């Protein structure tokens, strides 16, 4: 196990759980959290897809347990971090990680919520507001993480995290 990646993942989980309880976009049964998307892009760049996937899973479980998240957090966050990581690994560019997060969560993740809503007994679930909330939330989180990562890169600090 990589101790550095494990420690950074734990810190990102804590950051995500704490700040996702304050910054939420409520839309019916959905509780979109831009902080989750911010953390997903950081995970894509700093720790990669598997630690990022663990972060998304554990953060979602904790947020649901504390009542600050919903079951719709699972497909959105997990697909988002995997696509952000894949895009980042393919091009090694921070912008691609942000784009992967928006596509993964905003589009694919919101579409994956449709079968989940049927399982949860929400047959009249409306997809368009969900997709809009996920796209806005993931865009806001991805832009903020992109700005932070660019600032770290310009100061020469990004290389300390990525090895």
């Amino acid at each position: 196990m990589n101790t550095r990646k494990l420690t950074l993942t734990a810190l990102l989980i804590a950051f995500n759980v704490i700040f996702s309880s304050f910054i939420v976009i409520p839309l019916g049964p959905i509780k979109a959290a831009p902080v989750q998307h911010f953390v997903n892009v950081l995970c894509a760049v700093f720790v990669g897809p598997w630690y990022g996937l663990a972060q998304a899973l554990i953060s979602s479980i904790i947020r649901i347990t504390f009542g600050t998240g919903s079951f719709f957090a699972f497909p959105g966050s997990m697909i988002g971090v995997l696509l952000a990581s894949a895009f980042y690994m393919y091009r090694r560019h921070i912008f691609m990680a942000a784009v992967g997060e928006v596509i993964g969560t905003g589009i694919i993740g919101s579409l994956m919520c449709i079968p989940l809503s049927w399982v949860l007994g929400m047959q009249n679930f409306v997809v368009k507001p969900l997709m809009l909330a996920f796209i806005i939330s993931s865009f806001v989180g991805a832009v903020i993480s992109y700005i932070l990562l660019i600032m770290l890169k310009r100061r020469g600090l990004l290389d300390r995290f990525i090895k």
Side-chain angles (χ1 to χ4, degrees):
M1 287 224 172
N2 188 330
T3 305
R4 184 191 66 80
K5 286 185 178 183
L6 199 59
T7 304
L8 191 52
T9 302
L11 289 171
L12 289 170
I13 290 169
F15 181 87
N16 186 5
V17 170
I18 291 167
F19 287 101
S20 288
S21 63
F22 298 117
I23 306 168
V24 176
I25 300 171
L27 181 66
I30 308 303
K31 295 178 182 176
V35 175
Q36 175 68 59
H37 314 297
F38 170 78
V39 170
N40 279 356
V41 175
L42 295 180
C43 281
V45 174
F46 293 147
V47 298
W50 307 121
Y51 287 94
L53 185 63
Q55 172 276 135
L57 176 67
I58 294 167
S59 294
S60 296
I61 290 170
I62 294 171
R63 287 178 51 221
I64 289 168
T65 303
F66 289 137
T68 60
S70 69
F71 283 101
F72 298 106
F74 288 109
S77 64
M78 294 171 73
I79 293 169
V81 76
L82 286 176
L83 207 57
S85 296
F87 277 32
Y88 180 74
M89 288 169 51
Y90 174 67
R91 298 293 295 203
R92 284 287 181 211
H93 196 278
I94 299 164
F95 178 75
M96 293 306 292
V99 168
E101 172 60 27
V102 174
I103 292 171
T105 298
I107 298 171
I108 299 170
S110 62
L111 290 174
M112 294 304 294
C113 287
I114 297 169
L116 180 60
S117 68
W118 295 336
V119 169
L120 295 174
M122 298 179 216
Q123 281 71 21
N124 297 329
F125 190 68
V126 183
V127 176
K128 289 180 183 177
L130 168 75
M131 187 177 279
L132 182 62
F134 272 34
I135 288 173
I136 291 170
S137 179
S138 61
F139 180 78
V140 168
V143 166
I144 294 169
S145 63
Y146 176 75
I147 292 168
L148 174 68
L149 290 168
I150 289 298
M151 288 172 36
L152 289 173
K153 185 176 184 178
R154 285 188 181 156
R155 296 182 194 279
L157 300 173
L158 189 60
D159 294 333
R160 291 183 183 183
F161 290 101
I162 303 171
K163 290 184 182 183

